[in-house]
Amino acid sequence: MPPSGARLRVLVPVTGAFHGKVRLKRNGLVDTEGVERILSRESAQALALAKQLAAEGAELVVVHVDKGGGEEVLREALAHGADQGVLVEGAEKSESDASTRATTIAEVYKQMGPFDAVIGPARSEFAGFTGTLAALAGQLELPCLVGVSRVAVDGVGLRIAYQSLFGDYDLRVPRPSVLLVGDLEPSHPTAWGIHDAHRVKGILRVKADNYTVQKALTKRQRIENVPQESRSLESVDGATLVRRLRSRSLIAEKGGSP
Amino acid sequence: MAFEFAFTPEQRLLKRSARQFMRSQIEPGLPDDDWSGHGGDSPLELVKRMQHQGWFGIGIPRALGGAGMGEVEYCILMEEISAVDSSLGTIFGAHSGIGLMPIYLFGNDDQRERFVRPIAEGRHLAAFALTEPTAGSDAASIKTKAVRDGDDWLISGTKIWCSNGNFADTVVVFAVTDETLGAHGGVTAFIVSKGTPGFTVGTIEDKMGIRQSNTAELIFDNCRVPKQNVLGKVGEGFIAALTALDGGRVGLAAACLGACKRLLDDCVRRAKDRERYGKPLGKNQSIQWMLADMATDIHLAEYAVYHAATLTNEYYEKIAHGEPVPRALREKVSRAAAAVKIHCSEMTGRAGERAIQIFGGDGLKMKYRIDRSFRDQVITEIYEGTNEVQRLIIARELLQEGA
């Protein structure tokens, strides 16, 4: 945590998404050549949450682990109001699994910190980003909360609102914490922000190798190392799930309190 | 060498974010029935949200509170706003294209600070008042007069068809200051603020199209304006008007392009979803031809509009920086602006007819908003200079070149 009176700093890891028609090649692979990369909707939601702290004077540093087309993704994040951008290049050569990404982001956190919070998206375009940020929280030994829709400074901590299956909560968490955004209206960049992101604000480019990324297990190794387990999953419809949760008093009865 | 004609990453982001914002934040707030919601301040809440996006000073430098972009970006916004609602496009165009731009281009530092900054920062709205009951296409025949009285000017006369006129904070008003000199030398532009004594709003026109855009009559009765509010030099108002209208026409063409693209999207969806004789409408060649003709019109228009915007941007940058403007560039801009204005407004008319044909009877129902597009298009062949006047401009250029 920065010394008292210092400007609050927030690290916002962002992800990209394909914009336009993505076709399948004859070999079954996804053909993304020439398809524009943009900031993912979930990242725009994370920025909307981070801007709540920016309104209280926080500096927002966005980081993007590039898999190609990353500069435009990062500039778009800057257009949403972030103050500084870090583009980690060369990551496309390594296995882009959650653990490796988390290690890379953790290195950015350590080298560019201190930060008061990490605020990120809960999903990315093809898979969950929750794993990445949960792994990040684990590596940095920080608390991690999912589904956050409101955040504000509260003394030496942060006051957050978050949603879960069991209801909405309002609680105080320490600084720093890793916060994954919940269902929130995405931020919209202004024309002023778009101008500044492309003509005023700079981007710090770093090579993934510089961060001594420790290669996590590759997918192949992971599959080989996980004991084969055969398990049939029970198919449960929504009504059954609600009934079971009610029977355990985990959600309210109709018209009653839990 | 390749001919590069593509948006920059910055322009692509502006276009995409404007589209998302308009469709998620503005479109749901539009009235379902534009026929009854008219003449009041109903669009102002939506306009305010658009102002907060920094769009209303898009072509103004950052140092003056604007977004520091230019005419191409102005056209991008016109396209995306008008794709959602032509009335909002008209409000934006009347404000940015012809209301604000002449103050920025011809104003001095003091005027830019006093009037341009609050507009560019999204706090004020602007309007442009040229047309009069007896001077429409022949704008040089305006009768509104301004008479010198000490350090002030007294403006008297009536302006009509002033978009944003009833809620604009700042209006650029053109008045005759020397009857003996005619339009070139005898007309001066004045910056008049809302609430100036002697300036009142008259009738708000009830129209068949762009009904959410208010079209006001402005009455000036010995309206006292300080000499510091003379825009540019005395007698050079008509040049300011024509210069602003060139950019305004390109913006209008972009608005038509946006409206037309939206119509095409609606028609394609209809052709896929609607089934007749056991197959989607789009399986009929007659429908396919209509869609292909619309798409072809749009494809050509897009290049022409953004080419005209690029020329206008070069033209405006020279004026704003006090550089001499080559006559060839000025004529090229006027001709390109006239051409895209004609082509795009008439293209939207054709698209509206085809859309109603593809939608059949549903095209007349309000819920599909095809009727609204059809009614909104009519004015585009008239305002910012009728298409007939635009043809005169082009023909005059052609004949001069051949002489």
Side-chain angles (χ1 to χ4, degrees):
Chain A
M1 197 170 66
S4 129
R7 191 181 178 194
L8 214 70
R9 297 184 79 228
V10 180
L11 183 67
V12 186
V14 293
T15 61
F18 290 108
H19 180 62
K21 283 182 183 169
V22 178
R23 298 173 197 277
L24 278 182
K25 291 180 189 173
R26 282 190 174 177
N27 60 10
L29 294 176
V30 180
D31 184 0
T32 57
E33 199 178 322
V35 182
E36 193 182 0
R37 292 283 288 171
I38 62 170
L39 186 76
S40 68
R41 184 178 190 277
E42 292 75 18
S43 298
Q45 288 177 309
L47 281 159
L49 184 64
K51 279 161 77 173
Q52 294 176 10
L53 287 177
E56 298 189 47
E59 178 192 10
L60 307 186
V61 179
V62 283
V63 56
H64 179 50
V65 182
D66 188 19
K67 289 189 288 181
E71 183 172 338
E72 284 194 34
V73 172
L74 201 63
R75 290 213 183 274
E76 186 171 345
L78 290 171
H80 282 262
D83 300 284
Q84 201 184 343
V86 181
L87 183 62
V88 183
E89 294 176 313
E92 72 272 14
K93 290 173 190 155
S94 66
E95 284 295 319
S96 56
D97 64 319
S99 176
T100 308
R101 278 200 305 264
T103 307
T104 308
I105 297 167
E107 284 300 325
V108 173
Y109 180 94
K110 288 172 195 164
Q111 294 193 24
M112 298 197 62
F115 290 99
D116 297 270
V118 177
I119 295 180
R123 286 181 295 276
S124 66
E125 60 193 320
F126 294 131
F129 203 62
T130 316
T132 300
L133 293 186
L136 174 73
Q139 290 183 24
L140 297 172
E141 296 183 355
L142 301 178
C144 181
L145 289 107
V146 184
V148 181
S149 59
R150 203 173 64 241
V151 60
V153 178
D154 184 4
V156 291
L158 296 169
R159 171 72 54 181
I160 64 162
Y162 81 97
Q163 303 142 333
S164 76
L165 182 63
F166 309 114
D168 295 346
Y169 294 90
D170 186 83
L171 77 163
R172 195 159 176 269
V173 294
R175 274 196 255 164
S177 288
V178 177
L179 310 176
L180 276 70
V181 69
D183 189 17
L184 196 64
E185 175 64 29
S187 156
H188 295 278
T190 64
W192 297 301
I194 292 171
H195 172 277
D196 292 353
H198 288 84
R199 306 191 205 184
V200 180
K201 292 175 182 171
I203 283 180
L204 179 66
R205 291 171 182 277
V206 290
K207 289 282 175 205
D209 291 344
N210 295 344
Y211 281 120
T212 57
V213 174
Q214 293 174 352
K215 272 202 171 183
L217 295 172
T218 63
K219 281 177 186 166
R220 179 181 288 274
Q221 286 170 318
R222 207 166 47 233
I223 290 165
E224 286 168 354
N225 291 345
V226 173
Q228 293 297 312
E229 189 180 1
S230 173
R231 186 176 165 194
S232 62
L233 293 172
E234 184 189 6
S235 173
V236 178
D237 61 30
T240 309
L241 179 65
V242 169
R243 235 186 352 264
R244 286 184 186 174
L245 291 171
R246 276 205 186 114
S247 71
R248 293 174 204 171
S249 301
L250 291 172
I251 59 172
E253 289 293 338
K254 273 184 188 170
S257 54
Chain B
M1 187 180 282
F3 171 63
E4 282 205 26
F5 203 69
F7 288 136
T8 62
E10 183 185 73
Q11 290 163 345
R12 283 205 302 271
L13 174 55
L14 179 73
K15 190 167 173 53
R16 186 160 42 75
S17 60
R19 173 173 298 205
Q20 279 170 359
F21 185 82
M22 285 303 296
R23 298 190 187 201
S24 67
Q25 306 297 304
I26 301 295
E27 192 160 18
L30 288 171
D32 289 333
D33 172 13
D34 72 319
W35 204 249
S36 54
H38 165 73
D41 291 342
S42 57
L44 280 182
E45 194 47 48
L46 299 177
V47 168
K48 216 173 279 295
R49 283 195 228 166
M50 290 156 63
Q51 283 179 300
H52 292 161
Q53 288 303 107
W55 296 351
F56 279 54
I58 190 77
I60 306 301
R62 287 293 271 130
L64 276 171
M69 299 185 189
E71 289 302 294
V72 171
E73 291 81 2
Y74 163 61
C75 285
I76 286 172
L77 292 179
M78 275 298 267
E79 198 188 319
E80 293 305 331
I81 294 170
S82 302
V84 166
D85 188 64
S86 295
S87 294
L88 292 175
T90 300
I91 292 170
F92 179 64
H95 162 90
S96 300
I98 53 178
L100 166 62
M101 207 36 100
I103 310 178
Y104 169 61
L105 293 179
F106 297 97
N108 55 36
D109 288 347
D110 169 60
Q111 289 168 338
R112 285 178 174 183
E113 197 56 46
R114 277 194 297 141
F115 300 108
V116 173
R117 181 178 293 283
I119 294 172
E121 288 177 349
R123 292 183 280 124
H124 284 182
L125 276 170
F128 174 92
L130 176 65
T131 304
E132 296 182 5
T134 56
S137 289
D138 55 341
S141 311
I142 60 171
K143 298 278 186 284
T144 296
K145 280 185 190 158
V147 181
R148 190 79 190 249
D149 183 35
D151 277 349
D152 300 333
W153 290 83
L154 294 174
I155 303 175
S156 294
T158 301
K159 297 288 180 183
I160 57 168
W161 296 117
C162 181
S163 299
N164 303 350
N166 60 327
F167 49 63
D169 302 274
T170 307
V171 185
V172 179
V173 181
F174 298 87
V176 175
T177 44
D178 188 338
E179 285 173 287
T180 62
L181 294 175
H184 294 279
V187 173
T188 301
F190 296 89
I191 308 168
V192 182
S193 298
K194 184 163 84 176
T196 305
F199 167 28
T200 52
V201 176
T203 311
I204 309 292
E205 298 298 339
D206 199 1
K207 316 180 293 289
M208 69 176 278
I210 53 165
R211 292 178 58 78
Q212 293 297 307
S213 157
N214 291 342
T215 311
E217 175 190 37
L218 306 183
I219 300 158
F220 298 91
D221 182 12
N222 278 324
C223 175
R224 186 174 289 276
V225 176
K227 68 176 183 187
Q228 290 83 359
N229 285 20
V230 170
L231 183 58
K233 291 178 186 161
V234 172
E236 292 189 357
F238 206 62
I239 292 173
L242 295 183
T243 305
L245 283 168
D246 277 336
R249 282 169 195 144
V250 180
L252 171 57
C256 292
L257 180 63
C260 209
K261 281 184 181 177
R262 187 67 187 266
L263 272 177
L264 178 60
D265 289 346
D266 291 344
C267 288
V268 168
R269 203 174 308 113
R270 177 79 172 186
K272 284 179 174 173
D273 296 346
R274 183 80 165 175
E275 288 205 355
R276 278 295 173 266
Y277 303 108
K279 59 182 181 181
L281 273 184
K283 291 282 181 191
N284 295 302
Q285 206 173 49
S286 56
I287 301 292
Q288 291 172 7
W289 283 7
M290 284 193 237
L291 296 176
D293 285 346
M294 287 165 80
T296 305
D297 262 349
I298 289 169
H299 180 79
L300 300 177
E302 190 157 31
Y303 282 95
V305 166
Y306 286 101
H307 175 250
T310 307
L311 287 176
T312 312
N313 194 59
E314 187 186 343
Y315 178 42
Y316 280 2
E317 281 203 346
K318 286 188 185 302
I319 298 172
H321 295 112
E323 295 169 21
V325 180
R327 185 175 171 172
L329 175 62
R330 203 168 59 228
E331 289 177 352
K332 214 167 158 181
V333 168
S334 291
R335 191 164 140 179
V340 294
K341 196 270 182 184
I342 294 172
H343 177 75
C344 292
S345 58
E346 294 177 1
M347 165 184 87
T348 316
R350 290 192 293 276
E353 287 172 17
R354 286 176 184 133
I356 287 192
Q357 208 59 30
I358 290 169
F359 273 73
D362 284 346
L364 302 181
K365 292 182 190 168
M366 279 191 178
K367 83 175 204 186
Y368 292 96
R369 295 197 179 173
I370 301 295
D371 72 305
R372 191 185 300 188
S373 303
F374 191 80
R375 287 184 281 110
D376 287 347
Q377 178 277 331
V378 176
I379 188 64
T380 63
E381 295 187 34
I382 299 167
Y383 66 4
E384 306 271 13
T386 63
N387 284 9
E388 289 72 23
V389 167
Q390 304 314 305
R391 287 185 164 89
L392 286 179
I393 292 171
I394 295 169
R396 196 163 52 219
E397 291 292 326
L398 287 170
L399 295 171
Q400 271 177 1
E401 281 175 4

